[in-house]
Amino acid sequence: MTSSLAIRHVAFEDLGTLAPVLDQSGIAPRYLDGWSPDLAHVDPVAPDLVVVLGGPIGVYEVAAYPWLAHEIGWLRTRMLAGRPTLGICLGAQLIAAALGARVYPGPLKELGWTPLQLSAAGRVSALAPLDGRLTSMLHWHGDTFDLPEGAQLLASTASYRHQAYRWQQHVLGLQCHPELDGATFERWLVGHALELAQTGVDVPALRAETAARSGTLARQAALAWRRWLAEVGLASAE
């Protein structure tokens, strides 16, 4: 079976709706915390797929979280070896940093549902099913990043231009959360309760909108995940 490593930073931000797609594609995922010393004992090139998940810290907070430097170096080694790597939210920022791009606080919190605007390249990429005319998208971040050298911009929103990018053919970064599973969203609300209160988000309204939109997002995201897995040679093309 194809091997997959999911690097996690908080327990409730997991693979979500990506997990069953991996399972259906014969890819066995296992989790490892980014802060765990065990990551140092994993060959960065060995897993067939690495998915780097989200979290509430900033890539630039290395003084407070020194293990970030190791994770960034680990990812750099993997990507330069041409191995399939997917980053979501913090994961996309870590990948950008590993490829030499700057990551920094953005102008505002983008927290809630907003459709993606795909670039011309995005509309013919694996992300085509996530076009804003087909589904809305959950966003939950306050940081942003410069595009890594050689990267291709795939998606934007009005608030943040850099929402999704591709580097070469084996690396995909998404600032947004297409993996969101509406059935477990309450864990996000509890886990990020302080941030929600500080940002002034209407939690009942966000819960209701997520209930209304997450099913469509899950269906469209599954199409995007399958297309990308096929592109990097980890699943058969549909």
Coordinates of all heavy atoms in Angstrom, one line a residue, residues 73-142:
G73 N 13.2 22.6 7.3 CA 14.4 22.0 6.7 C 14.0 20.6 6.2 O 14.4 20.2 5.1
W74 N 13.2 19.9 6.9 CA 12.8 18.5 6.6 C 12.0 18.6 5.3 O 12.1 17.8 4.3 CB 12.0 18.0 7.7 CG 11.6 16.5 7.7 CD1 12.3 15.5 8.2 CD2 10.4 15.9 7.0 NE1 11.6 14.3 8.0 CE2 10.5 14.5 7.3 CE3 9.4 16.5 6.3 CZ2 9.5 13.7 6.8 CZ3 8.4 15.6 5.8 CH2 8.5 14.2 6.0
L75 N 11.1 19.6 5.2 CA 10.2 19.7 4.0 C 11.1 20.2 2.8 O 10.8 19.7 1.7 CB 9.1 20.8 4.3 CG 8.0 20.3 5.2 CD1 7.2 21.5 5.7 CD2 7.2 19.3 4.6
R76 N 12.0 21.0 3.0 CA 12.9 21.5 1.9 C 13.6 20.2 1.3 O 13.6 20.1 0.1 CB 13.9 22.5 2.4 CG 14.8 23.0 1.3 CD 15.9 23.9 1.8 NE 15.3 25.1 2.5 CZ 15.4 25.4 3.8 NH1 16.0 24.5 4.6 NH2 14.8 26.4 4.3
T77 N 14.1 19.4 2.1 CA 14.8 18.2 1.6 C 13.9 17.3 0.8 O 14.2 16.9 -0.3 CB 15.4 17.4 2.8 OG1 16.3 18.1 3.5 CG2 16.0 16.1 2.3
R78 N 12.7 17.2 1.3 CA 11.7 16.3 0.6 C 11.3 16.9 -0.8 O 11.3 16.2 -1.8 CB 10.4 16.2 1.4 CG 9.4 15.4 0.7 CD 8.1 15.1 1.5 NE 7.1 14.5 0.7 CZ 7.1 13.1 0.5 NH1 8.1 12.4 1.0 NH2 6.2 12.6 -0.3
M79 N 11.0 18.2 -0.8 CA 10.5 18.8 -2.0 C 11.6 18.9 -3.1 O 11.4 18.7 -4.3 CB 9.9 20.2 -1.7 CG 8.6 20.1 -0.9 SD 7.8 21.7 -0.7 CE 9.0 22.5 0.4
L80 N 12.8 19.2 -2.7 CA 13.9 19.2 -3.6 C 14.2 17.9 -4.2 O 14.9 17.8 -5.3 CB 15.2 19.8 -3.0 CG 15.1 21.3 -2.6 CD1 16.4 21.8 -1.9 CD2 14.7 22.2 -3.8
A81 N 13.8 16.8 -3.5 CA 13.9 15.5 -4.0 C 12.8 15.1 -5.0 O 12.8 14.0 -5.5 CB 14.0 14.5 -2.9
G82 N 11.9 16.0 -5.2 CA 10.8 15.8 -6.1 C 9.7 14.9 -5.6 O 9.0 14.2 -6.4
R83 N 9.4 14.9 -4.3 CA 8.4 14.0 -3.7 C 7.1 14.7 -3.5 O 7.1 15.9 -3.1 CB 9.0 13.4 -2.4 CG 10.2 12.7 -2.5 CD 10.0 11.4 -3.3 NE 9.5 10.3 -2.4 CZ 8.7 9.3 -2.9 NH1 8.4 9.2 -4.1 NH2 8.3 8.4 -2.0
P84 N 6.0 14.1 -3.8 CA 4.6 14.7 -3.6 C 4.4 15.3 -2.2 O 4.5 14.5 -1.3 CB 3.7 13.6 -4.0 CG 4.5 12.7 -4.9 CD 5.9 12.7 -4.4
T85 N 4.0 16.5 -2.2 CA 3.9 17.2 -0.9 C 2.7 18.2 -1.0 O 2.6 19.0 -1.9 CB 5.1 18.0 -0.5 OG1 6.3 17.1 -0.6 CG2 5.0 18.5 0.9
L86 N 1.8 18.1 0.0 CA 0.6 18.9 0.0 C 0.6 19.7 1.3 O 0.7 19.1 2.4 CB -0.7 18.1 -0.1 CG -2.0 18.7 0.2 CD1 -2.4 19.7 -0.9 CD2 -3.1 17.6 0.2
G87 N 0.3 21.0 1.2 CA 0.3 21.8 2.4 C -1.1 22.6 2.5 O -1.5 23.1 1.5
I88 N -1.6 22.6 3.8 CA -2.9 23.2 4.0 C -2.7 24.2 5.1 O -2.3 23.9 6.2 CB -4.0 22.2 4.4 CG1 -4.3 21.2 3.2 CG2 -5.3 22.9 4.8 CD1 -5.2 20.1 3.5
C89 N -3.1 25.5 4.8 CA -3.0 26.6 5.8 C -1.6 26.8 6.3 O -0.7 27.1 5.6 CB -4.1 26.5 6.9 SG -4.5 28.0 7.7
L90 N -1.4 26.5 7.6 CA 0.0 26.6 8.1 C 0.9 25.7 7.3 O 2.1 26.1 7.0 CB 0.0 26.1 9.6 CG 1.4 26.0 10.2 CD1 2.2 27.3 10.2 CD2 1.3 25.5 11.7
G91 N 0.4 24.6 6.8 CA 1.2 23.7 6.0 C 1.7 24.4 4.7 O 2.8 24.2 4.3
A92 N 0.8 25.1 4.0 CA 1.1 25.9 2.8 C 2.2 27.0 3.1 O 3.1 27.2 2.3 CB -0.1 26.5 2.2
Q93 N 2.1 27.6 4.3 CA 3.0 28.6 4.7 C 4.4 28.0 5.0 O 5.4 28.5 4.7 CB 2.5 29.3 5.9 CG 1.2 30.1 5.7 CD 0.5 30.4 7.0 OE1 1.0 30.3 8.1 NE2 -0.8 30.9 6.8
L94 N 4.4 26.8 5.7 CA 5.7 26.1 5.9 C 6.4 25.7 4.6 O 7.6 25.8 4.5 CB 5.4 24.9 6.8 CG 5.1 25.2 8.3 CD1 4.5 24.0 8.9 CD2 6.4 25.6 9.0
I95 N 5.6 25.2 3.7 CA 6.1 24.9 2.4 C 6.7 26.1 1.7 O 7.8 26.0 1.1 CB 5.1 24.2 1.5 CG1 4.8 22.8 2.0 CG2 5.5 24.2 0.0 CD1 3.7 22.1 1.3
A96 N 6.0 27.2 1.7 CA 6.5 28.4 1.1 C 7.8 28.8 1.8 O 8.8 29.2 1.1 CB 5.5 29.6 1.3
A97 N 7.9 28.8 3.1 CA 9.2 29.1 3.8 C 10.3 28.1 3.4 O 11.4 28.6 3.2 CB 8.9 29.1 5.3
A98 N 9.9 26.9 3.3 CA 10.9 25.9 2.9 C 11.5 26.1 1.5 O 12.6 25.7 1.2 CB 10.4 24.5 3.0
L99 N 10.7 26.7 0.7 CA 11.1 27.1 -0.7 C 11.7 28.5 -0.8 O 11.9 29.0 -1.9 CB 9.9 26.9 -1.6 CG 9.4 25.5 -1.8 CD1 8.1 25.5 -2.6 CD2 10.4 24.6 -2.5
G100 N 12.0 29.1 0.4 CA 12.7 30.4 0.4 C 11.8 31.6 0.4 O 12.3 32.7 0.3
A101 N 10.5 31.5 0.5 CA 9.6 32.6 0.5 C 9.4 33.2 1.9 O 9.5 32.5 2.9 CB 8.3 32.3 -0.2
R102 N 9.0 34.5 1.9 CA 8.7 35.1 3.2 C 7.3 34.8 3.6 O 6.4 34.9 2.8 CB 8.9 36.6 3.0 CG 8.8 37.5 4.3 CD 9.2 38.9 4.0 NE 8.3 39.6 3.1 CZ 7.4 40.5 3.5 NH1 7.3 40.9 4.7 NH2 6.6 41.1 2.6
V103 N 7.1 34.6 4.9 CA 5.8 34.4 5.5 C 5.6 35.4 6.6 O 6.6 35.6 7.4 CB 5.7 33.0 6.1 CG1 4.3 32.8 6.7 CG2 5.9 31.9 5.1
Y104 N 4.5 36.1 6.7 CA 4.3 37.2 7.6 C 2.9 37.5 7.9 O 2.0 37.0 7.2 CB 4.9 38.5 6.9 CG 4.5 38.7 5.5 CD1 3.4 39.5 5.2 CD2 5.1 38.0 4.4 CE1 3.0 39.7 3.8 CE2 4.7 38.2 3.1 CZ 3.6 39.0 2.8 OH 3.2 39.2 1.5
P105 N 2.6 38.3 8.9 CA 1.2 38.6 9.3 C 0.5 39.4 8.1 O 1.1 40.3 7.5 CB 1.3 39.5 10.5 CG 2.6 39.1 11.1 CD 3.5 38.8 9.9
G106 N -0.7 39.0 7.9 CA -1.5 39.7 6.8 C -2.2 40.9 7.4 O -2.2 41.2 8.6
P107 N -3.0 41.6 6.5 CA -3.7 42.8 6.9 C -4.9 42.6 7.8 O -5.4 43.5 8.4 CB -4.0 43.5 5.6 CG -4.2 42.3 4.7 CD -3.2 41.3 5.1
L108 N -5.5 41.4 7.8 CA -6.7 41.1 8.5 C -6.9 39.6 8.7 O -6.2 38.8 8.1 CB -7.9 41.7 7.8 CG -8.1 41.4 6.3 CD1 -8.8 40.0 6.1 CD2 -8.9 42.4 5.6
K109 N -7.8 39.3 9.6 CA -8.2 37.9 9.8 C -9.2 37.5 8.7 O -10.2 38.2 8.5 CB -8.8 37.7 11.2 CG -7.8 37.6 12.3 CD -7.3 36.2 12.5 CE -6.5 36.2 13.8 NZ -5.8 34.9 13.9
E110 N -8.9 36.5 8.0 CA -9.8 36.0 7.0 C -10.4 34.7 7.6 O -9.8 33.6 7.6 CB -9.2 35.7 5.7 CG -10.2 35.3 4.6 CD -9.5 35.2 3.2 OE1 -8.4 34.6 3.1 OE2 -10.1 35.7 2.2
L111 N -11.6 34.8 8.2 CA -12.2 33.7 9.0 C -13.6 33.6 8.6 O -14.5 34.4 9.0 CB -12.0 34.0 10.5 CG -12.0 32.8 11.5 CD1 -11.5 33.3 12.8 CD2 -13.4 32.2 11.6
G112 N -14.0 32.5 7.9 CA -15.3 32.3 7.4 C -15.4 31.8 6.0 O -14.3 31.4 5.5
W113 N -16.5 31.9 5.4 CA -16.8 31.3 4.1 C -16.7 32.3 3.0 O -17.5 33.3 3.0 CB -18.1 30.6 4.1 CG -18.1 29.3 4.9 CD1 -18.3 29.2 6.2 CD2 -17.8 28.0 4.4 NE1 -18.2 27.9 6.6 CE2 -17.9 27.1 5.5 CE3 -17.6 27.4 3.1 CZ2 -17.7 25.7 5.4 CZ3 -17.4 26.1 3.0 CH2 -17.4 25.2 4.1
T114 N -15.8 32.1 2.0 CA -15.6 33.0 0.9 C -15.2 32.2 -0.3 O -14.3 31.3 -0.2 CB -14.5 34.1 1.1 OG1 -14.9 34.8 2.3 CG2 -14.4 35.0 0.0
P115 N -15.9 32.3 -1.5 CA -15.5 31.5 -2.6 C -14.1 31.9 -3.1 O -13.6 33.0 -3.0 CB -16.5 31.9 -3.7 CG -17.6 32.5 -2.9 CD -17.0 33.2 -1.7
L116 N -13.4 30.9 -3.7 CA -12.1 31.1 -4.3 C -12.3 31.7 -5.7 O -13.3 31.4 -6.4 CB -11.3 29.8 -4.4 CG -10.8 29.2 -3.2 CD1 -10.1 27.9 -3.5 CD2 -9.8 30.1 -2.5
Q117 N -11.3 32.5 -6.1 CA -11.3 33.0 -7.5 C -10.1 32.3 -8.1 O -8.9 32.7 -7.8 CB -11.1 34.5 -7.5 CG -12.2 35.3 -6.8 CD -11.9 36.7 -6.4 OE1 -10.8 37.2 -6.8 NE2 -12.7 37.4 -5.7
L118 N -10.3 31.4 -9.0 CA -9.2 30.7 -9.6 C -8.5 31.5 -10.7 O -9.2 32.2 -11.5 CB -9.7 29.4 -10.2 CG -10.3 28.3 -9.2 CD1 -10.4 27.0 -9.9 CD2 -9.4 28.2 -8.0
S119 N -7.2 31.4 -10.8 CA -6.5 32.0 -11.9 C -6.7 31.2 -13.2 O -7.3 30.1 -13.1 CB -5.0 32.1 -11.6 OG -4.5 30.8 -11.5
A120 N -6.2 31.7 -14.3 CA -6.3 30.9 -15.5 C -5.6 29.6 -15.3 O -6.2 28.6 -15.8 CB -5.7 31.7 -16.7
A121 N -4.5 29.6 -14.7 CA -3.8 28.3 -14.4 C -4.6 27.4 -13.5 O -4.7 26.2 -13.6 CB -2.4 28.5 -13.8
G122 N -5.3 28.0 -12.5 CA -6.1 27.3 -11.5 C -7.3 26.6 -12.2 O -7.7 25.5 -11.8
R123 N -7.8 27.3 -13.2 CA -9.0 26.7 -13.8 C -8.8 25.5 -14.6 O -9.7 24.7 -15.0 CB -9.7 27.8 -14.7 CG -10.4 28.9 -13.9 CD -11.3 29.8 -14.7 NE -10.5 30.6 -15.7 CZ -10.0 31.8 -15.4 NH1 -10.2 32.3 -14.2 NH2 -9.3 32.5 -16.3
V124 N -7.5 25.2 -15.0 CA -7.2 24.0 -15.8 C -6.3 23.1 -14.9 O -5.7 22.1 -15.4 CB -6.4 24.4 -17.1 CG1 -7.3 25.1 -18.0 CG2 -5.1 25.2 -16.8
S125 N -6.3 23.4 -13.6 CA -5.5 22.5 -12.6 C -6.4 21.6 -11.9 O -7.7 21.5 -12.1 CB -4.8 23.4 -11.6 OG -5.7 23.9 -10.6
A126 N -5.9 20.8 -11.0 CA -6.6 19.9 -10.2 C -7.6 20.6 -9.3 O -8.6 20.0 -8.8 CB -5.7 19.1 -9.3
L127 N -7.4 21.9 -9.1 CA -8.3 22.7 -8.2 C -9.6 23.2 -8.9 O -10.4 23.9 -8.3 CB -7.6 23.9 -7.6 CG -6.3 23.6 -6.8 CD1 -5.9 24.9 -6.1 CD2 -6.7 22.5 -5.7
A128 N -9.7 22.9 -10.2 CA -10.9 23.4 -10.9 C -12.2 23.1 -10.2 O -13.1 23.9 -10.2 CB -10.9 22.8 -12.3
P129 N -12.4 21.9 -9.5 CA -13.7 21.7 -8.8 C -13.9 22.7 -7.7 O -15.0 22.7 -7.1 CB -13.6 20.3 -8.3 CG -12.6 19.6 -9.3 CD -11.6 20.7 -9.6
L130 N -12.9 23.4 -7.2 CA -13.0 24.3 -6.1 C -13.3 25.8 -6.6 O -13.3 26.7 -5.7 CB -11.8 24.3 -5.2 CG -11.4 23.0 -4.6 CD1 -10.2 23.1 -3.8 CD2 -12.6 22.4 -3.8
D131 N -13.6 25.9 -7.9 CA -13.9 27.3 -8.4 C -15.1 27.8 -7.6 O -16.1 27.1 -7.3 CB -14.2 27.2 -9.9 CG -14.5 28.5 -10.5 OD1 -15.6 29.0 -10.4 OD2 -13.5 29.1 -11.1
G132 N -15.1 29.1 -7.3 CA -16.1 29.8 -6.6 C -17.5 29.7 -7.1 O -18.5 29.9 -6.4
R133 N -17.6 29.4 -8.4 CA -18.9 29.2 -9.0 C -19.5 27.8 -8.6 O -20.7 27.6 -8.9 CB -18.8 29.3 -10.5 CG -18.5 30.7 -11.0 CD -18.1 30.7 -12.5 NE -16.9 30.0 -12.7 CZ -16.3 29.9 -13.9 NH1 -16.8 30.5 -14.9 NH2 -15.2 29.2 -14.0
L134 N -18.7 27.0 -8.1 CA -19.2 25.6 -7.8 C -19.3 25.4 -6.2 O -20.1 24.5 -5.8 CB -18.2 24.6 -8.3 CG -18.0 24.7 -9.9 CD1 -16.9 23.7 -10.3 CD2 -19.3 24.3 -10.6
T135 N -18.5 26.1 -5.5 CA -18.5 25.9 -4.0 C -18.0 27.1 -3.3 O -17.1 27.8 -3.9 CB -17.7 24.6 -3.6 OG1 -17.8 24.5 -2.2 CG2 -16.3 24.7 -4.0
S136 N -18.4 27.3 -2.1 CA -17.7 28.3 -1.3 C -16.5 27.6 -0.6 O -16.3 26.4 -0.7 CB -18.6 28.9 -0.3 OG -18.0 30.1 0.3
M137 N -15.7 28.3 0.2 CA -14.5 27.8 0.8 C -14.4 28.3 2.2 O -14.6 29.5 2.5 CB -13.3 28.1 0.0 CG -12.0 27.7 0.6 SD -11.9 25.8 0.6 CE -11.9 25.4 -1.1
L138 N -13.9 27.5 3.2 CA -13.7 27.9 4.5 C -12.2 28.5 4.6 O -11.3 27.9 4.2 CB -13.8 26.8 5.5 CG -13.5 27.3 7.0 CD1 -14.7 28.1 7.5 CD2 -13.3 26.0 7.9
H139 N -12.1 29.7 5.2 CA -10.8 30.3 5.4 C -10.7 30.5 6.9 O -11.6 30.9 7.6 CB -10.8 31.7 4.7 CG -11.0 31.5 3.2 ND1 -10.0 31.4 2.3 CD2 -12.2 31.6 2.5 CE1 -10.6 31.3 1.1 NE2 -11.9 31.4 1.2
W140 N -9.4 30.4 7.4 CA -9.2 30.6 8.9 C -7.7 30.9 9.1 O -6.9 30.1 9.5 CB -9.6 29.3 9.6 CG -9.8 29.5 11.1 CD1 -9.1 30.1 12.0 CD2 -11.0 29.1 11.8 NE1 -9.6 30.1 13.2 CE2 -10.9 29.5 13.1 CE3 -12.2 28.3 11.4 CZ2 -11.8 29.2 14.1 CZ3 -13.1 28.1 12.4 CH2 -12.9 28.5 13.7
H141 N -7.3 32.1 8.8 CA -5.9 32.5 8.9 C -5.8 34.0 9.0 O -6.7 34.8 8.7 CB -5.1 32.0 7.6 CG -5.5 32.8 6.4 ND1 -4.8 33.8 5.9 CD2 -6.6 32.7 5.6 CE1 -5.3 34.3 4.9 NE2 -6.5 33.7 4.6
G142 N -4.6 34.4 9.5 CA -4.3 35.8 9.6 C -2.9 36.1 9.0 O -2.5 37.3 8.9

